């Protein structure tokens, strides 16, 4: 005759341990995934070049000084503004034509 054996229900402590192990494993996996994503982002942003050569910096050209103007502000205050524009060497011919010096 066969006898049946019954297993007792797990204790509350054993059930909590299983939950902690699965959460711990989940945090480890999530941390590893985040580390891989962070490493890939750093590689693409910092080390991967666009493959294009950088454009050379423009060479400074002529400077056009503008006349000073006075702006009336509220409560009897004034603002005096004087400005100068500097073109690149490539724009000097157009700047001379626009300003009428040539």
């Amino acid at each position: 005759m066969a006898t049946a054996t019954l297993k007792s229900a797990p204790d509350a402590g054993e059930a909590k341990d299983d939950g902690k192990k699965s959460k711990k494993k989940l945090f480890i996996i999530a941390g590893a995934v985040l580390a891989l994503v962070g490493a890939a982002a750093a590689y693409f942003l910092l080390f991967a070049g666009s493959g294009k050569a950088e454009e050379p910096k423009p060479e400074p050209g002529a400077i056009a000084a503008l006349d000073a103007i006075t702006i009336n502000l509220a409560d009897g205050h004034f603002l005096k503004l004087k400005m100068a524009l500097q073109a690149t060497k490539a724009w000097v011919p157009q700047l001379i034509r626009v300003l009428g010096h040539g």
Side-chain angles (χ1 to χ4, degrees), residues 91-102:
W91 279 88
V92 170
Q94 288 95 355
L95 183 63
I96 292 172
R97 188 180 72 231
V98 168
L99 294 177
H101 294 290

Side-chain angles (χ1 to χ4, degrees), residues 68-72 78-81:
I69 59 171
T70 304
I71 301 170
N72 188 8
F78 295 94
L79 173 68
K80 189 170 188 177
L81 182 67

